Structures are given as structure tokens and as C-alpha cells.
Amino acid sequence: ERARGAAESAADAATRSRDALATELDRVRRSHETLQSDRDALARNLDELRGEVHELRAAHSTATEQLAAATAQRDALASALEQTRSDLHAARQDTAGLRADLDTAREQLAAERTARSVADATSAAAQSAITDRDARIAELTEQLRQAHAHLERALTEQPSGENADAHAEAPTEPGR
């Protein structure tokens, strides 16, 4: 009877142990299913992230190419701007020289006119000299007009902010 009680007790303990193990097995299976579900979700996220990384790399390559093109364009524009500034400086120097020549020519013309009015056309040589001076003035005026046109072209090719500053400094053609 004692052995029977011990066997029943062992059977009860075995049943409880089996039930506990079955419960633990169910819990482990649910945990395993949850982990598999999480792993699948992580795999999907990883695939999405890989796709995003691929897209970002493509966008980075495109942006790098655009940056290189923009840098090259900026460098070309800077070079053109420097050349334009150099041309403008030369044009200003030419204009100043032409103005000085024009002022000299005007002074000479005024002196010659004074001499002509005093001499009242005394000789054909004096008349020829006056005609030569008039031609020189016309040539200088044309050169000055061309220099102004060159200067205006150079100013209009500059960016708008510098154009306004340079235009304010541009000399005006004096009257005859």
C-alpha cells in the first residue's frame, strides 16, 4: 500500500511535471513564434533600409555630379568675370586716354579757331591744318564712342549688382 501511495504520488508529480512542461513548451513555442515574427519584421526593415541606402547612394552620386558641374560653371563664370573686369579696366584706361586726347584736340581746335578768327583765313595752309584737326576730332570722337560702346557692353555682361556700381562710375561723353 505504501508503494502504491508512493506510485500515485509519483504519478501525480509526473502529471504535474508534464503539465508544467507542456505549459512551458507552449510558452516557448509562443516566444519562438514571436521571435520569428520579429525576425521577419527585422528582415523586411533591413530590405527597406537597403533599398533606401541604394536610393541615397544614387541621390548622392547625382548630387555629387551636379555639384561638380556647378563648381565648373562657377569657375568658368569667375574666369569670365575676371576677364570682363580686366577688359573694363583697359577700356577705362583707353577712355581716359581718349578723353585726354579729345581735351587736347579741343584745346588745339579752340586755339586754331582763335588764330583763324584773328588771321581771318590768311592762308590755305592754315585752312588745311584746321581741316586736319577737325578730322582728328571726329576720329577721336568716334574712338571715344567706340570705347563707350565697349564699356557699356562690358558693364552689361557683369552681374547686376556690379553693373549698377560700374555704371555709376562710367564716364559720360562730353559735348563738342
Side-chain angles (χ1 to χ4, degrees):
E1 202 170 296
R2 209 186 281 188
R4 186 174 160 202
E8 285 177 358
S9 197
D12 286 344
T15 301
R16 282 191 305 268
S17 179
R18 183 198 68 203
D19 290 344
L21 287 175
T23 302
E24 180 64 20
L25 180 61
D26 287 342
R27 188 190 62 76
V28 168
R29 282 183 182 156
R30 284 192 304 271
S31 177
H32 178 70
E33 289 171 358
T34 302
L35 289 174
Q36 281 182 332
S37 175
D38 290 348
R39 186 200 67 205
D40 292 345
L42 287 173
R44 285 189 301 275
N45 286 343
L46 180 60
D47 288 344
E48 290 173 6
L49 289 174
R50 284 182 180 153
E52 288 177 18
V53 166
H54 179 72
E55 290 172 5
L56 288 173
R57 283 184 179 155
H60 179 264
S61 294
T62 301
T64 301
E65 291 170 4
Q66 289 174 345
L67 178 61
T71 301
Q73 185 179 14
R74 184 206 61 209
D75 292 345
L77 288 173
S79 177
L81 177 61
E82 189 58 36
Q83 181 61 42
T84 300
R85 284 180 178 162
S86 176
D87 292 347
L88 177 61
H89 180 71
R92 284 182 178 162
Q93 288 179 338
D94 290 348
T95 300
L98 290 173
R99 278 206 176 128
D101 290 348
L102 182 59
D103 289 344
T104 302
R106 284 184 178 159
E107 289 171 7
Q108 290 174 354
L109 179 61
E112 288 175 6
R113 284 184 179 163
T114 302
R116 187 181 68 203
S117 66
V118 171
D120 197 32
T122 57
S123 72
Q127 190 63 32
S128 175
I130 290 171
T131 303
D132 289 345
R133 295 294 178 203
D134 286 342
R136 177 71 176 142
I137 288 170
E139 178 184 333
L140 290 173
T141 302
E142 177 60 24
Q143 289 176 358
L144 181 60
R145 187 197 63 73
Q146 289 174 357
H148 277 260
H150 178 74
L151 179 61
E152 286 298 319
R153 279 192 313 275
L155 289 173
T156 58
E157 292 174 2
Q158 288 185 348
S160 62
E162 291 180 18
N163 189 13
D165 293 341
H167 187 65
E169 296 175 8
T172 58
E173 180 177 337
R176 286 177 59 170

